[in-house]
Every structure is written in structure tokens, then in C-alpha cells.
Amino acid sequence: MRPQLPTLDLVPLYPLLVVTGWAVLVLLADLFVQHKRALGYLALTGVIVAAVVTVALWPGVPTSFQNMAISDGQALFFNLVFLVTGALGLLVAIEYLERKDLQRGEYYALLMFSLAGMIAMAAAEDLLIVFLGLEMMSVALYVLSGSNQRDMSSIEAAMKYFILGSFASAFFLYGIALTYAAAGSTNLAQIGSWLSGRGIPKDPVALTGLSLLLVGFGFKVALVPFHWWTPDVYQGAPTSVTAFMSVGAKAAGFATLTRVLYSAFSPTFTTDWVTVAAVLAAVTMTFGNLAALVQRDVKRLLGYSSIAHAGYVLVGIAAASPVGVRGMLFYILAYAFMTAGAFAVACAVERREQSTTTLADYAGLAQRSPLLAAAMLLFMLSLIGIPPLIGFWSKLFVFRAAVEANLAWLAVLGVLNSALSAYYYAGVVVQMYLREPGRSPAEEVAFRPWRSALAVAVFLAAAATVVLGLWPGAVVNLLMGV
Amino acid sequence: MNFPFLTLITFIPLLGAVVVALIPGRREREIKLVAVLFSVPSLVLSLIAWLLYAQNAGEIKFLEEATWIPTLNAYYRVGVDGISLPLVFLTTLLTTLSLFYSSYTIKKRVKEFFALFLLLETGMIGVFVALDLVLFYIFWEVGLVPMFLLIGIWGQPQDRPQYSAIKFFLYTLVGSVAMLLAFIAIYMTTGTWNILQIPGLKPLAGNPGLAIAAFWAIFLAFAIKVPSWPFHTWLPDAHTAAPTAGSVVLAGVLLKLGGYGMIRILLPFFPDLFKQFAPWIGVLALISMIYGALVSMAQWDLKRLIAYSSVSHMGFFMLGLVAAAASLEVANPVLTSRAIALNGAVLQMFNHGIITGGLFFLVGVIYERTHTRDLKAFGGLSAKMPVYYGVMLTTALASLGLPGLAGFISEFMVFRGAFALIPTYAIIGVVAIVLGAAYILWKIVQHVFLGEFSEERWQEIFNPAHWHFSLDMARFEVITMAPLLFFMVLVGIYPAPVLNVINAATTALLAML
């Protein structure tokens, strides 16, 4: 009797396959191509192809690949977020690496691999695929963080990220093991039906598994109190890497977190994780903002700001409703443009010999490089949540979801946090616009959209911040189909 | 489809800002010309709108409506009535005058200044015309950033412009986020953002605790902007630090955003709560009036003095509003008094814009020449600068409420209404009028214009090499002040054209409560 091979339906994995295949292609091309810049553009082409494939799959295909992967609207939307982030990350890197003398082919290949990991996470219907994607993404990011070997802080960042990230993976794996022990499956839908079939009393083993999974996710998306690695890594890593991972890794973490909570641990454990998520959200945004208030280094400041924003995103998840999920998805898209854009500006301002940018480096930017400063102004205002920029809508949507879910206290706290955060974001604006240029102006890239890839990235992010701020309906309509 | 008056009035300045931003920075003459020209259509259109509206006053006119974000039920919905129209006109007038004045006085970072100022105009007008809470909130915030930068970049270095700018920004932002939450709560119960429909739906009626929280959250946002004591501390810093045109618009228009919000949103949404809390809000109004006047009297910095006088004068506005809200009776004599008080309050906003805007221009006149605002440094300028003296005297007397000039009419109406409805408050409030006369006559008129002129002191502060216009008011300064003087006298002698429009809208509003 011949073994019966199951039929594999690879359709939902097309975006993943394109990105992975293209990553291998970039790796191979690295052997033959002298101009490493060209590899950046090659990778960028791959990202665009993957985006086209993703759009072609819209509005989603049913679960397949042995029920292990799914490309529903949510996964595809996340794919788009990842690919946008990847594209911005590549555009930034092409220019930044050249200036820092770090131009290397592996960089682009690794970025693509990490992108593949993220896409796998968003498409995962099974905890094993989640773990596979998580590791694929993380390992590539560890290496990328350390890609500036001449800079001690880059090496430190990589080391720190690797060690703490491994801890997180261990927690995560143990969580998977316990969940499997409780439910007898690693498939999210099967876990969900098993747990809800069992009903009350709740299974303590599953509850422990859930807790451990939450810890693992907490590390990956940098929720307080699992955030300690974030500022150091964001500051130490090459800025082009920070631009990419601050958005991509977080978005991927939230993609999976949402799926795990909503399909595996609902409705049996809903009240449990809602409480935990709400508390974590409250602590995360408050701590992130408070810590950011005292930062003098812009990358570090943005690092803490990204912690705070993870808290806002979690508000949408804690609402435990379709409105909340849509709010969260919108938030992540907004966050991608604002944060990647802000880090891209940081890349442009950063000097050749430094790996960090202090607030003082931004003094008088409006006079030295008005367009760059204007873009940064937009990102800062959007991060505060000033309308009509995209960041305003994202906050409005998650807070509205919180109010609807009887979490008004969380919305109040979130709103107070926005006001708090205005202080340090405005501090950047003060430097750029109200201070006179310092004695040694940083050698930022002249902002010429038609000449520089970095400028293209800044321009795209700024344009999205404004345009989607004026017509948020475009995204909301997309999300209604999710 | 009717002629889109309001859309044009609101967005032509924005277009101007974009055009200015596209002109190369070194072409300063062109930038200034283009900026002034782009502010004129809004001025003309708002005047035409006023004249058209006056023929048939009462309800909301020039309505425009378009779906904007369907899933959020948010609309692009604008319209004006007799309460908002005078304020729209005030905004366009003061902006055009400010841009014209600034084209002579702004020397650094010219392009940014004019682009930001036009953007600011769009934000301010938008607040007055928006009839959808989401749109209202957006315009409310749009004006914030340009003003922040105007204070911070073009402020005088000795006045700590950066500190003042951030303080202004954070104060306003704290208020507005509280307001946003209240708006969301209101939306949850009514399902609409429509400012005209919400009053009829009795927002949050089923949840008194939440209603009270929402009321105070919205009140906070508007009270910070008005500003009412104890939320006023950003004002003296911001007004003093801002460049002349910035102070003019801050005092002339931005404070009115808060006042307008109280009338358009707070009062109709929560008439019962407003009535219930009227005694407390009345106390805040009284403190603002008297405390503002006293602190004003203690100042030796001319600009700071006028800044504090705004706290006092906007207190009059609040007193009128409180009087109108203190009773919900519609019995004829009561309703008449309430209407008089509310008319007075709205007219007080218009007058304060004209008068205090003018005063800040006039501070600019002396500051541009001497680079000081220290009252002790002046004295006897009436002989040296007779035209300046005449203009300043007229404006200052209008501010203290001399009959025949604009300020008198509105203050009289506020007190006429308040005496009938909340007599105790009115009696205490009158003190502020006396104090107002004191700081204006004693501090401004006497210290600057009367007394001994000392040539020696004058030499110290005035350097002819730095001033290229005539010593007395230059032509551009006279042109800037002329329209304001015209309105001070017109409203003072024949207020009917303004009042008729206001009255039609306020009576409609009060009848609806």
C-alpha cells in the first residue's frame, strides 16, 4: 500500500512563498552582483510583487495547507502592513547603509527573510506555524540589529535582543506545550472548540498556557513589564533596522496575538484575557509615555513612544469586539507610517560617525532642511493624535471601541496619555522649528524626492499620514471586509 | 446646489497657504502680496454672506452637507447662523488686517509665517462653521499647531516664547482631549455627530453621572480657551510672547472659539446641567472679571496688561451666558432678559475681538519703535505722536465701555440681562467695570501719553536708525486700524445691523432649549 500524500493547497501561502523565494534569490544574486545597492532594489521589486499577489488574493481564501494557514482579510491586511514596512525599510536602508559604509547584500536578504517570518505569523492557523514564523522573523532581526560590527552599541543591541528574545521564545514554546496538553491540538480552531466544549470550570493547564503565551507575546511586542530590551535595541541597532523592526515585529506580534486570543481562547477565557490586556494596555501606555518624557536621544525617545503605542493597540484588542479589531488594524497601519517615517527622518539626520541622534541634532532642522522638518512635524503631530492626520483616527477608533466595550476608564487613561505624550513629541518640534541651527549642523540627506531613496520613503510615509488622515474611509472600507 | 459660500470662505486661505509654500523663500515681496490677496476673498465672501443672511435671519443658512466617513457616520456639514456669522466675519477681518500689518513688520522666516497664518485662518473659520462634532474637533485642533509655531518662532526672545508656546499647546490639548471623550460618549447614546440634531435627542439623558462628567469635560476645553479663571494662566504668557499679529488673532479670535463652543455645544446639549451649575460657572465668571482686572492693573508691561484685560472682558461674556442659562423659563419677560443677556454675550465676543485686536496692534505700534513695552519708560507721548494718541484713546475708551463706542453696548446688555436674572452676580460684577476704567485710564492713557515727556528717556528707547517709517503712526498702521475704529463707532452708535443678526439666532436658540 502506497502512503497517501495529502493534497497541498498552497494558495494562501503565495505571498509567503514569493517573499521567501525572493529572499533566496537576493542571497544568490549577492554572489554575482558588485553593486550592492542594486540588491536593495531587487528586494524592493520582490516586495512589490508580493504586494500585488496579496492584493490579488483579496478578500481572502479559506483555510488550507492542512488547516495550518489561512489568508483571510485580516492576514492579507497585515501582509500589506508588513510589505509597506518592508518597502519603507528597504528604501531607507539603501541610502543609509551607503552613507554608513555598511552596504552588504545579506542585509537585504535577511530583511526579506524576516518579512517572510512576519507573513507566516499573520497567516498562521496553528501554533507551530506561529512559532516557525516567530523564529524566522526574530533570528533575522537579531542579525540585522548587529549588522554594524564596528559599533559596540549595535553589537550590544543584537546580543541583548537575542538573549531576551530567546527567553521569550522559550516562554512561548512552553505556552504552546501546555496548551497542547490541555486541548490536544495545536490548531487554533480546534483548541477553541475543545476549550469551549469543556466549558466551566476552566482548565488550569490551558490558563497557564495562555499566560505563558501572553508573556511571550509581551516580549515580542514590548508590553510593560516585558519591554526592557526595547529602548536599548532600538537605540543601538542601525537606524534603518530600527525603522523596519519597530513596526514589523510589533505588527506581526499583534497579528498572531489577536488570532490566538480570538480563535483559540474565546469565548471560554475571554474575560480573563480582556482583564489582562486592559491592565497591560494601561500600564504600557502610561509607562512608555512617562519614560519618553525624559529622553534626550531621539531613537530612544521613539523607542519608548513605540512602547506607548503598543499600549494603545492593545486597547483595541482588549475591547474584544469586531470594532476593536478593526480599530487595532487601523492603528497598526497608522503606526507603520508614522513610526517608520519618523525613524526614516532620524536616518537622514544621523551623522556619518554617530549611531545615535540627540535632540540637539534636530535644532534648526526647519531652516536647514525645511521639507524634512515638515515631514517630521507631520509624524510627531500624528503620533500625538492631532487631526486630521492618520494618528488621530487610529486613536479615535480604538478609544471608541473601548468605550463601547465598557472600558471607558481605559479610554480616559488613553486620552490622558495622548496629552502627556504631546509634551515630548512637541519637544522634537521645538528643536526643529524654534531653535536656531547648532554650530555643526548634522549632514542630513538633502531632501530631494527625485534623487534619494530615503527621501522617497519619507515622502511616501508623510503622504500616507496626510492622505489617509483626510480620507480614513478608504482604509475603513477595506477593514469592513475583514 | 447653492453657492458654496462657507467652503470657499474656509478653504481659500488653505489654498493660499499651499501657494505661499510653493513660492521660493527669498521672494519675500511676492509671498507677502500673495498671502494678503488670498485672505481677501474670504473677507469679501463673509461680508456678502452676512448681508444675505441679514435679509432673512433666524435659522442656520448656507448649509452644505456631504458624506465623509460613512462607517463613522461623520459628515462634512457646515452652516452658519447669526451667532457664528459675526465671528466668521471677525476672523476674516482680523486675519486680513494681521497679514497686511505683518507684511511690514515680519522680517525673519517670512514664508513660514504667512503660510502658517493662512492655515490658522482655515482652522479658526472651520470651528465657527462646522456643524458636525468630528469636523468641529478637527478644525479645533488644526489651528493649534500654527499658533504654537507662531508664538514659538516669532515671539520676542525676552518673553520666553518656547515656554509660552508649549504651555499654550499643552493647555489647549488637555482640554480638547477631554472634550473628544465627551463627544464619543455623546455619540454612543445619540448615534449622530450632528450638532443641530443632538440637542433634540437629549444626549446622555439616561445616565446622569456620565452626563455630568461629559458636561465638565466639554466645559474644561472651552473654559481653557476662553479663558476662565483658573485655567487662564497660559494666556498672559502666550499673548505677551506672540508677535503682534499673533496676539491680535489670539485675543481677537482664538478666545472666541471657546465662547462659541459654549453657546453652540455646551448650552444646547446640556441646558439642564448648565442651569444646575450656573451658580458655579457664574462664580468663575465673576472671579475672571474682577481678578483679571486687578491683575491687569498691577502690570507694568503694556502687552501683559492688555492680555489680562482679556481675561476680565471674556468674564463679561461668561456672565451674560450664565444669566441666559440660569433660567429655562420661557415666560415672556424672563425670555426677553435671557435673550438680552445672550445677545450681549455674543456681541461682547465680537466687540472684544475688534477692540482688543486693535489694542494689540497699537501695542505693536509702540513696540516696533522702541522695542520696549515698559510703561515706566513712556510718558508724554501725546504731543510726540498725536495720531497714535487719538487712535489709542478711542480704542481704550471703547474697551472700558464708554457710551457711544462698541464696548458699552455689549456690557450694558450683559448687565441688563444679568440684573434681571442673577442680580447678586451682576452687582458684584459691576466692580470689574470700575476696575477696567482704572487700569485703562491710569495705566495706559496716563503712563503712556500724559505726564512729562522726557527727551532723555526717549533717546534711550528710540533709535531712529531702526525705524524707517514716520514717528507717529505710519500709513500702514493707520490703514490697519481704520476698519477696527469704524466698527467700534458703528456698533457703538448704531448696533442694529450686528444685533439684529445675533438676536434672530439667539432667540431661536433659547426657544429651543
Side-chain angles (χ1 to χ4, degrees), chain B residues 296-317:
Chain B
S296 204
M297 202 161 21
Q299 300 303 316
W300 287 103
D301 178 329
L302 182 56
K303 208 169 177 186
R304 234 181 153 74
L305 184 153
I306 296 169
Y308 273 110
S309 84
S310 289
V311 178
S312 180
H313 282 126
M314 289 305 283
F316 288 94
F317 154 78

Side-chain angles (χ1 to χ4, degrees), chain A residues 130-152:
Chain A
V130 172
F131 189 70
L132 193 75
L134 189 71
E135 287 305 293
M136 196 160 161
M137 170 187 87
S138 302
V139 172
L141 285 179
Y142 302 149
V143 183
L144 282 174
S145 311
S147 59
N148 188 356
Q149 306 101 314
R150 289 189 301 274
D151 180 12
M152 276 311 287

Side-chain angles (χ1 to χ4, degrees), chain A residues 366-367 377 381 384-388 392-393 396-397 399-400 403-404 411-412 415 418-419 422-423 426 429-430 432-436 470-473 476-477 480, chain B residues 68-72 74 108-109 112 134 137-139 141-142 144-145 148-149 151-153 161-162 165-166 169-170 173-174 177-178 180-181 184-185 187-188 193:
Chain A
Q367 291 175 66
L377 174 70
L381 295 176
I384 297 176
I386 302 272
F392 164 71
W393 300 106
L396 181 66
F397 292 145
F399 293 153
R400 188 183 70 155
V403 172
E404 270 183 359
V412 170
V415 158
S418 300
Y423 185 77
V429 177
V430 165
M432 293 192 300
Y433 279 87
L434 310 191
R435 294 275 157 86
E436 293 300 312
L470 291 173
W471 286 281
V476 175
N477 283 341
M480 291 311 277
Chain B
W68 179 28
I69 311 168
T71 44
L72 198 64
K108 76 167 181 183
R109 296 169 81 174
E112 287 167 276
V134 175
Y137 185 78
I138 286 176
F139 281 122
E141 298 271 270
V142 161
L144 187 55
V145 178
F148 166 72
L149 293 173
I151 298 171
I153 298 178
Q162 294 176 15
I166 291 209
F169 188 77
L170 291 182
L173 197 69
V174 167
V177 292
L180 180 62
L181 268 183
I184 295 177
Y187 175 72
M188 291 293 160
W193 303 102

Side-chain angles (χ1 to χ4, degrees), chain A residues 371-412:
Chain A
L371 290 177
L372 203 57
M376 190 64 161
L377 174 70
L378 287 175
F379 299 136
M380 292 296 115
L381 295 176
S382 182
L383 285 166
I384 297 176
I386 302 272
L389 302 172
I390 190 169
F392 164 71
W393 300 106
S394 57
K395 282 192 175 148
L396 181 66
F397 292 145
V398 293
F399 293 153
R400 188 183 70 155
V403 172
E404 270 183 359
N406 280 325
L407 289 170
W409 66 272
L410 198 56
V412 170

Side-chain angles (χ1 to χ4, degrees), chain B residues 57-354:
Chain B
E59 63 220 1
I60 299 273
K61 288 280 177 56
F62 305 116
L63 265 175
E64 292 170 48
E65 199 172 64
T67 44
W68 179 28
I69 311 168
T71 44
L72 198 64
N73 205 11
Y75 285 77
Y76 173 77
R77 186 185 286 125
V78 293
V80 284
D81 66 359
I83 298 171
S84 39
L85 250 185
L87 296 172
V88 170
F89 175 71
L90 179 71
T91 310
T92 54
L93 176 68
L94 286 178
T95 308
T96 302
L97 295 179
S98 294
L99 288 170
F100 172 73
Y101 179 87
S102 300
S103 66
Y104 288 87
T105 54
I106 291 297
K107 304 258 176 343
K108 76 167 181 183
R109 296 169 81 174
V110 171
K111 176 166 140 176
E112 287 167 276
F113 181 92
F114 286 92
L116 286 172
F117 216 102
L118 286 166
L119 176 61
L120 174 66
E121 185 180 11
T122 293
M124 295 185 300
I125 298 174
V127 172
F128 293 132
V129 300
L131 290 177
D132 186 279
L133 286 179
V134 175
L135 194 64
F136 177 90
Y137 185 78
I138 286 176
F139 281 122
W140 179 271
E141 298 271 270
V142 161
L144 187 55
V145 178
M147 200 35 147
F148 166 72
L149 293 173
L150 285 178
I151 298 171
I153 298 178
W154 291 275
Q156 295 86 18
Q158 73 272 26
D159 298 317
R160 298 192 297 165
Q162 294 176 15
Y163 165 82
S164 309
I166 291 209
K167 195 169 176 182
F168 162 78
F169 188 77
L170 291 182
Y171 260 76
T172 314
L173 197 69
V174 167
S176 44
V177 292
M179 175 167 83
L180 180 62
L181 268 183
F183 284 177
I184 295 177
I186 289 170
Y187 175 72
M188 291 293 160
T189 57
T190 59
T192 176
W193 303 102
N194 188 335
I195 292 178
L196 300 177
Q197 275 177 11
I198 289 174
L201 299 170
K202 301 280 172 222
L204 303 172
N207 191 340
L210 192 58
I212 290 174
F215 175 85
W216 285 112
I218 298 176
F219 178 81
L220 177 73
F222 295 148
I224 288 174
K225 206 82 173 180
V226 164
S228 162
W229 183 91
F231 311 112
H232 68 283
T233 59
W234 63 270
L235 178 137
D237 288 325
H239 284 214
T240 312
T244 297
S247 309
V248 169
V249 171
L250 257 177
V253 184
L254 261 82
L255 308 189
K256 277 72 198 173
L257 301 183
Y260 174 75
M262 285 191 184
I263 295 181
R264 173 71 71 218
I265 291 178
L266 200 57
L267 182 61
F269 283 20
F270 303 104
D272 299 304
L273 286 175
F274 210 126
K275 174 174 178 281
Q276 184 186 338
F277 294 118
W280 298 100
I281 299 173
V283 169
L284 292 183
L286 284 183
I287 297 177
S288 302
M289 288 161 72
I290 295 171
Y291 170 85
L294 283 173
V295 178
S296 204
M297 202 161 21
Q299 300 303 316
W300 287 103
D301 178 329
L302 182 56
K303 208 169 177 186
R304 234 181 153 74
L305 184 153
I306 296 169
Y308 273 110
S309 84
S310 289
V311 178
S312 180
H313 282 126
M314 289 305 283
F316 288 94
F317 154 78
M318 281 191 34
L319 187 71
L321 180 62
V322 167
S327 161
L328 292 178
E329 276 181 61
V330 287
N332 204 20
V334 180
L335 186 64
T336 310
S337 294
R338 292 172 66 204
I340 291 175
L342 196 58
N343 285 335
V346 176
L347 187 62
Q348 173 73 4
M349 289 206 283
F350 182 77
N351 288 343
H352 179 260
I354 298 284

Side-chain angles (χ1 to χ4, degrees), chain A residues 207-343:
Chain A
L207 193 61
T208 318
L210 170 63
S211 318
L212 290 170
L213 286 174
L214 279 176
V215 172
F217 280 121
F219 268 108
K220 287 294 166 194
V221 300
L223 300 175
V224 176
F226 314 111
H227 68 284
W228 295 105
W229 57 275
T230 316
D232 289 339
V233 173
Y234 282 14
Q235 186 184 15
T239 313
S240 58
V241 177
T242 314
F244 173 65
M245 77 176 163
S246 63
V247 177
K250 225 167 256 238
F254 279 118
T256 325
L257 176 61
T258 318
R259 219 187 269 292
V260 168
L261 291 181
Y262 280 69
S263 52
F265 291 96
S266 292
T268 326
F269 290 92
T270 307
T271 47
D272 301 276
W273 61 256
V274 162
T275 315
V276 174
V279 171
L280 281 179
V283 177
T284 303
M285 46 193 185
T286 311
F287 177 86
N289 282 323
L290 283 176
L293 285 178
V294 293
Q295 302 306 322
R296 309 303 304 164
D297 183 288
V298 172
K299 274 165 82 179
R300 219 177 161 76
L301 183 147
L302 289 173
Y304 279 110
S305 128
S306 79
I307 294 176
H309 284 275
Y312 299 125
V313 174
L314 205 56
V315 171
I317 294 182
S321 64
V323 181
V325 172
R326 282 198 290 272
M328 175 210 64
L329 293 172
F330 191 98
Y331 204 109
I332 286 176
L333 182 72
Y335 172 80
F337 286 118
M338 304 184 292
T339 303
F343 276 116

Side-chain angles (χ1 to χ4, degrees), chain B residues 403-469:
Chain B
L405 292 170
F408 170 74
I409 308 282
S410 52
E411 287 178 16
F412 178 79
M413 290 173 73
V414 164
F415 277 101
R416 157 67 183 82
F419 264 114
L421 298 160
I422 43 174
T424 326
Y425 288 85
I427 291 165
I428 300 172
V430 170
V431 175
I433 295 192
V434 181
L435 294 174
Y439 64 74
I440 281 172
L441 292 177
W442 173 45
K443 275 288 170 61
I444 301 183
V445 177
Q446 185 179 339
H447 271 91
V448 178
F449 297 103
L450 306 179
E452 225 24 51
F453 177 75
S454 151
E455 190 63 41
E456 198 182 317
R457 212 168 43 200
W458 184 247
Q459 295 296 336
E460 258 174 46
I461 56 174
F462 180 66
N463 183 350
H466 292 152
W467 184 248
H468 311 297
F469 301 97

